[in-house]
Amino acid sequence: MKQRDLFLAFFRVGILGYGGGPSSIPLVHKEVVEKYKWMDSDEFGDILALGNALPGPIATKMAGYIGYRVGGFLGMFNALAATMIPAIILMILLLTVLNSYKDEPWVNGMAEAVVPVVAVMLAVLTWDFIKKSGKSKLGWAWTAVALIGSLILLQFLNLHPAILIFVLLLSALLKKDPAPAGNKQTGGEEQ
């Protein structure tokens, strides 16, 4: 049952993820977090951040990891196949057909119509992550600083996103959390 659910979840992502990796992320979130509840949004965010820091397509990296986590090696291969097979088949079929009609206005309109839909899906997922960050230990002030700083670094200074993600992951790993005030110990005894 678990292998079937893995295949169906990632098959839906593979068949509906038009627009590449960014458009598939909200679909993976919907399947993995909301429908099957294999993990919570925080875990999904961690996987997404790490996956973006690594080379290669995000959809296959997430399918491979989540498939392995849910169903072991068989689950990994199952989720990867379910993610890639629809794209391979659709590429062959659609490119054959679209190549025949490439100069038709309806083909150009179809391609242009996908862009705003993907933008809305990404905006909704982004807003969910912003809300979670603001309500976390980070707080709204640091969330705003991180958003504005990231925008400046990525858009205006043309910093590669992988560098920013790597620096943020490294700083999170090296950051030491202060000990809670009520848990101070002296000489092994609680006061």
Side-chain angles (χ1 to χ4, degrees), residues 65-81:
Y65 176 76
I66 294 167
Y68 176 77
R69 181 172 165 177
V70 172
F73 279 107
L74 180 60
M76 177 182 68
F77 290 117
N78 190 5
L80 284 169

Side-chain angles (χ1 to χ4, degrees), residues 54-140:
L54 299 172
I58 190 67
T60 52
K61 289 182 284 191
M62 293 187 78
Y65 176 76
I66 294 167
Y68 176 77
R69 181 172 165 177
V70 172
F73 279 107
L74 180 60
M76 177 182 68
F77 290 117
N78 190 5
L80 284 169
T83 301
M84 293 185 295
I85 288 171
I88 293 167
I89 293 171
L90 288 173
M91 282 287 288
I92 293 167
L93 293 175
L94 288 175
L95 285 177
T96 302
V97 171
L98 290 178
N99 205 23
S100 302
Y101 299 102
K102 64 183 174 190
D103 296 327
E104 297 291 327
W106 65 269
V107 173
N108 291 330
M110 184 177 69
E112 291 173 6
V114 171
V115 175
V117 172
V118 171
V120 168
M121 290 170 62
L122 285 171
V124 169
L125 187 64
T126 301
W127 180 243
D128 285 345
F129 280 123
I130 290 171
K131 288 190 295 188
K132 285 182 179 116
S133 294
K135 294 175 184 175
S136 71
K137 292 182 197 176
L138 194 60
W140 285 106

Side-chain angles (χ1 to χ4, degrees), residues 25-42:
I25 293 168
L27 298 172
V28 174
H29 184 270
K30 188 88 168 160
E31 296 289 332
V32 170
V33 175
E34 295 176 22
K35 183 171 184 173
Y36 291 107
K37 298 182 182 356
W38 288 323
M39 62 185 59
D40 61 24
S41 283
D42 292 335

Side-chain angles (χ1 to χ4, degrees), residues 47-58:
I47 293 166
L48 178 61
L50 187 58
N52 274 320
L54 299 172
I58 190 67

